[in-house]
Amino acid sequence: MATDMIALISAGIALLAAGGAWGAVFVNRRNATDTIKTQVNIGARNSRASVVSANRQKWIASIRADVADFIATRQQLLLLAGSGSFQKAGMDALHAEERMLHKHAAMLRARVEMRLNLEKEEDHVSRTPVEVSGS
């Protein structure tokens, strides 16, 4: 009877050890799955951040190009306004060029305004027309 008791205790210990081993397998599998999910999430965030950063740089470059073009157009308008009097035939061409420059300046201003975040107060642009004689 003592031998049967020892065999029974040994079998119980073996079953307990087997159960512990299966538990460790499931815990390790869950940990590996969580680690993989975390790595995928980190990779997705890093990828999104690099795409957003590249798009933001393109956005900034576009605004800079439009602002530079706007300043150049405004300078052309100032030069045109200060060019003095010309013959009647020349004045028609100057007025046509001036209208074209005003139209181009308005389009550039609209492009810049479109790209600004108007939810922020510091991004608001005054709604006055393009001035020719200002500094």
Side-chain angles (χ1 to χ4, degrees), residues 17-29:
W22 275 108
V25 167
F26 288 122
V27 168
N28 284 338
R29 182 172 183 232

Side-chain angles (χ1 to χ4, degrees), residues 13-51:
I13 291 173
L15 284 174
L16 189 60
W22 275 108
V25 167
F26 288 122
V27 168
N28 284 338
R29 182 172 183 232
R30 187 187 63 202
N31 288 343
T33 303
D34 290 346
T35 301
I36 290 169
K37 285 179 185 177
T38 301
Q39 289 174 347
V40 167
N41 287 339
I42 289 171
R45 271 189 258 134
N46 287 342
S47 175
R48 182 182 184 284
S50 65
V51 168

